[in-house]
């Protein structure tokens, strides 16, 4: 198993990002999807300021939500 504590960014894992998510990351904004997504619709992303060093560039709140059940690299904690 790889390093579950590594920080995921568009540079380390480009295939895990949509163009919109990468744009948010590049602007220092949280790209956590807070909306309901239907086929053909764009995401509704959080947009709060990213927490420095947070995996996926999430804000402090969404980093906390992620880490409740997942490692920083996104793999489940089970």
């Amino acid at each position: 198993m790889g390093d579950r504590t590594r920080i995921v960014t568009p540079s380390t894992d480009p295939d895990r990002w949509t163009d919109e998510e990468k744009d948010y990351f590049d602007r220092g904004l949280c790209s956590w999807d807070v909306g309901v997504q239907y086929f053909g619709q764009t995401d509704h992303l959080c947009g709060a300021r990213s927490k420095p060093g947070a995996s996926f560039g999430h804000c402090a709140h969404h980093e906390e939500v992620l880490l409740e059940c997942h490692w920083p690299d996104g793999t489940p904690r089970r």
Side-chain angles (χ1 to χ4, degrees):
M1 186 176 272
D3 179 10
R4 297 181 298 189
T5 62
R6 71 183 177 77
I7 303 302
V8 176
T9 69
S11 297
T12 64
D13 297 81
D15 59 325
R16 295 179 78 173
W17 299 78
T18 66
D19 289 342
E20 186 177 17
E21 290 167 340
K22 184 184 178 311
D23 177 58
Y24 270 58
F25 182 91
D26 290 345
R27 294 187 292 142
L29 303 175
C30 178
S31 62
W32 186 276
D33 189 350
V34 295
V36 177
Q37 184 177 352
Y38 296 98
F39 182 74
Q41 289 184 324
T42 58
D43 295 335
H44 182 155
L45 305 178
C46 171
R49 288 308 251 160
S50 296
K51 177 182 170 187
S55 197
F56 297 96
H58 292 318
C59 65
H61 169 70
H62 287 125
E63 179 191 44
E64 184 178 315
V65 173
L66 172 76
L67 295 177
E68 286 176 9
C69 298
H70 295 82
W71 293 101
D73 74 350
T75 58
R77 287 189 180 261
R78 299 180 223 150

